[in-house]
Structure formats: structure tokens, C-alpha cells
Amino acid sequence: MSSNTIAYPTIKKTAEQITAICERILFTAGPFLKEGIYQDLLVHELRLKGLDPSREMVFNYKFSDSNSNDIIIGNNQFLRSDIELPPLKGILELKSSGAATKDDNIWQLRNYLEQRSDRNWGLVINFISKFGARTSPHVQCDLLVKSGKTYSLITTNGESIVTNQYFSDQFCSKNYAELSHI
């Protein structure tokens, strides 16, 4: 692991801390809020904890063309992360939904991490607002960490494309109180 990355024990501790912060936000603010409200509350709490968050970071797409030259895509095409923790080299992607985190959300974060050599981990934070027979609102946090290893994808014409390998983990809050008091 290079000196430009944060070690997994620090990342895991931070992810657990963020999950606890998000749990408290859900329990105090309640379910069924818009993503932007949860984002404002989380940024405030992260600042209180001294984690120095940045909001709505915009960055360009960067790809390699068929001649292995880097190209930057412009024309108002860009990526925007919800919250970043620059000192810890992490990206936080927030969701507010009625279901478990979708694979699409995990891939969105992975794409962000692939575009950023200055970030080695990210967390999809999903404020799940659903009451049911076996479920109650809670926060699901899915962690992706660049492993420091790469692998090659071979295209149909035999070209080798190198991409990062990732380690993943998941953290969940306790469930929000049942609706028995309404």
C-alpha cells in the first residue's frame, strides 16, 4: 500500500463512526426525508467531529483511448460526489430510498473511485425509509476500498484493460423505532 492511501483499520473505524453518526441522524430527524437534508445534517456532524468534509466535489471523466493516451471528457460531462473527506482520502455517496442499496449505487461509487487516484475508499450511505412486517427504517453503509492490486479485463479483440481490485464491507445501523406509537 502506498503512502498515498489510508490503512484499512482507519477506514473501518471511520466507516463505523460515520454509520453511528447517520444512525443518530435517522433517529433524531426521522425517516422519509430527502437526500439533501440528510446530507446537510451529516456534513454538520462530520465538521463537529473534526473530519473536515467537502461537499459536492465536481471532477471530470478521464479515460484512456485505444492508443493508451489519456483523454478528459468535457462538454458539461462531469461527476459530482456528495461528500468527500480529503484528509482521509474518502468519498461518501448518499442515498435516501425505500429499499436496500442497489448494485447501481455501488457501481456509481466504484466509477468515482476509478476516476480518482487521490481517493482510495468510499462509502455508499443509504437512509432506508421502509416500514414492513420484517423491516424498519435504518441506515445501510456499503464500503469499497481499493485493495492496491489490479487485474486485467480482456476485450473481445484481445486488448488488456487494467482496473483496480476492491475490498467491500457493509455496516448497518439499528432499526428505527416501530410505528406502534402512532
Side-chain angles (χ1 to χ4, degrees), residues 50-151:
L51 294 175
D52 196 25
S54 296
R55 295 184 64 145
E56 304 287 336
M57 298 292 288
V58 177
F59 51 97
N60 292 320
Y61 289 94
K62 179 181 170 187
F63 297 101
S64 292
D65 66 15
S66 56
N67 292 326
S68 298
N69 296 316
D70 287 340
I71 59 168
I72 304 295
I73 304 296
N75 296 327
N76 276 336
Q77 304 297 323
F78 56 85
L79 300 168
R80 181 188 313 260
S81 60
D82 290 332
I83 301 171
E84 295 197 16
L85 301 174
L88 294 172
K89 303 187 184 318
I91 296 173
L92 308 181
E93 184 61 31
L94 273 66
K95 303 296 174 195
S96 178
S97 72
T101 304
K102 298 177 184 176
D103 287 344
D104 296 4
N105 303 136
I106 305 294
W107 279 97
Q108 177 186 8
L109 176 60
R110 186 186 178 283
N111 286 338
Y112 288 3
L113 290 168
E114 283 296 303
Q115 294 293 317
R116 301 286 299 274
S117 61
D118 62 335
R119 301 290 180 258
N120 72 308
W121 66 277
L123 197 61
V124 176
I125 302 168
N126 187 8
F127 289 84
I128 301 171
S129 299
K130 182 177 181 178
F131 285 99
R134 289 175 266 173
T135 188
S136 181
H138 64 283
V139 180
Q140 175 183 337
C141 296
D142 290 278
L143 176 65
L144 286 180
V145 181
K146 290 179 183 175
S147 71
K149 298 177 183 175
T150 59
Y151 65 94

Side-chain angles (χ1 to χ4, degrees), residues 37-52:
I37 293 171
Y38 291 127
Q39 183 181 23
D40 285 345
L41 293 169
L42 180 55
V43 166
H44 175 78
E45 292 296 327
L46 293 170
R47 282 192 180 119
L48 288 177
K49 301 287 185 197
L51 294 175
D52 196 25

Side-chain angles (χ1 to χ4, degrees), residues 22-33 38 127-132 135-139 172-182:
C22 291
E23 176 183 75
R24 185 177 188 291
I25 289 170
L26 176 67
F27 287 7
T28 58
F32 301 102
L33 297 177
Y38 291 127
F127 289 84
I128 301 171
S129 299
K130 182 177 181 178
F131 285 99
T135 188
S136 181
H138 64 283
V139 180
C172 289
S173 73
K174 292 181 180 177
N175 286 337
Y176 185 79
E178 297 296 328
L179 277 177
S180 59
H181 62 281
I182 293 182

Side-chain angles (χ1 to χ4, degrees), residues 153-161:
L153 300 170
I154 307 300
T155 66
T156 54
N157 68 0
E159 181 183 6
S160 177
I161 309 286

